[in-house]
Amino acid sequence: MGDQDTRWLIVNGDDFGMSPGVSRGIVDAHRRGILTSTSLMVERPAAAEAAALAREAPELSVGLHLELDGSAPADPRKATQDQLRRFEQLMGRPPTHLDSHHDVHQDPRVLPEVLEATRPLGIPVRGHSPATCLTRFYGEWAGEIHLEQVSVESLIGMLETDVKAGVTELMCHPGYVDAGLDSSYARAREPELYTLCDARVRTALDQAGIRLLGFRDFPALLAGKAEG
């Protein structure tokens, strides 16, 4: 799938299923923009609708966006296994990857259990795979909005400076803000969506020789490198 100097980019939309508007925005960013993957919140009321949308977008990689009650639930392995089963019920297949809401899986009290629960599936877990995660495409923190951080110019700059040889995952949160959205991160979701769909971003990728990749194709890429 390419030599070791190739720059691959996975563009992953977190929070699929958080609300109908967020789910529609993620699918739009996939169909009209550069988004290649997303992560489903299986315990949200809008999860089934999101899964139905995903089935209409067969090229979209869909993983699990793990949610845990508190930073260290009593049995994080069981919680992870339960959500993996729920994912398969909704999607009819295992997830292509796993990450988590507010990065709770990175908690050292949780991480070993999450890795153990996902090991039989052989799927990449954010922060614990050969993919480098780029988190700077984010437009709101400390109660303040920073739309300049999710502008077209900002994203193109990140692509030029932060995407190195190998695989990079761009974490993003596009979506349409609707009445069902219960999130402190709201005002930057639609600007993110518009940036991901901007033709100038696609042109910048082409000019930089960066190739888009979905998480479903990630294991085959790694296998090819190992064989090479």
Side-chain angles (χ1 to χ4, degrees):
M1 293 181 69
D3 60 43
Q4 61 183 2
D5 295 324
T6 302
R7 294 192 287 169
W8 298 93
L9 181 66
I10 297 170
V11 182
N12 190 81
D14 287 11
D15 300 342
F16 196 48
M18 176 175 275
S19 76
V22 168
S23 299
R24 287 189 294 104
I26 286 172
V27 172
D28 280 355
H30 170 65
R31 287 176 170 158
R32 301 191 289 111
I34 65 168
L35 188 142
T36 60
S37 298
T38 190
S39 306
L40 177 62
M41 308 174 88
V42 297
E43 297 189 333
R44 298 296 180 107
E49 180 180 345
L53 286 173
R55 286 191 287 273
E56 297 173 2
E59 297 302 313
L60 179 64
S61 297
V62 183
L64 173 63
H65 198 54
L66 181 67
E67 291 189 275
L68 298 176
D69 295 328
S71 59
D75 194 343
R77 188 184 306 187
K78 181 180 184 302
T80 303
Q81 291 170 334
D82 288 346
Q83 291 182 48
L84 287 168
R85 280 193 293 270
R86 177 60 177 157
F87 184 99
E88 293 204 36
Q89 290 171 355
L90 289 167
M91 293 295 300
R93 58 166 180 77
T96 59
H97 59 287
L98 181 142
D99 47 53
S100 65
H101 199 44
H102 298 152
D103 266 346
V104 68
H105 74 284
Q106 304 284 21
D107 188 308
R109 296 167 294 179
V110 170
L111 179 61
E113 305 298 330
V114 171
L115 293 177
E116 187 63 28
T118 56
R119 187 168 289 114
L121 298 175
I123 59 174
V125 174
R126 179 178 286 163
H128 302 276
S129 82
T132 300
C133 189
L134 175 57
T135 62
R136 294 198 298 117
F137 187 68
Y138 199 76
E140 192 173 346
W141 59 87
E144 297 182 356
I145 191 78
H146 294 274
L147 295 185
E148 74 282 355
Q149 191 70 10
V150 294
S151 68
V152 171
E153 294 76 16
S154 176
L155 179 54
I156 289 175
M158 292 177 200
L159 297 177
E160 292 174 345
T161 61
D162 296 338
V163 179
K164 311 297 185 182
V167 180
T168 299
E169 176 195 357
L170 176 71
M171 181 177 70
C172 58
H173 300 80
Y176 297 112
V177 176
D178 58 4
L181 179 60
D182 180 17
S183 172
S184 60
Y185 191 76
R187 292 175 290 174
R189 288 186 187 265
E190 290 184 18
E192 281 198 28
L193 169 60
Y194 303 142
T195 292
L196 293 170
C197 293
D198 195 291
R200 290 172 289 174
V201 174
R202 177 79 68 168
T203 297
L205 286 173
D206 292 340
Q207 290 177 343
I210 298 171
R211 301 177 65 178
L212 291 173
L213 181 73
F215 267 114
R216 72 174 60 200
D217 301 315
F218 189 29
L221 175 66
L222 295 178
K225 285 186 175 182
E227 291 169 3

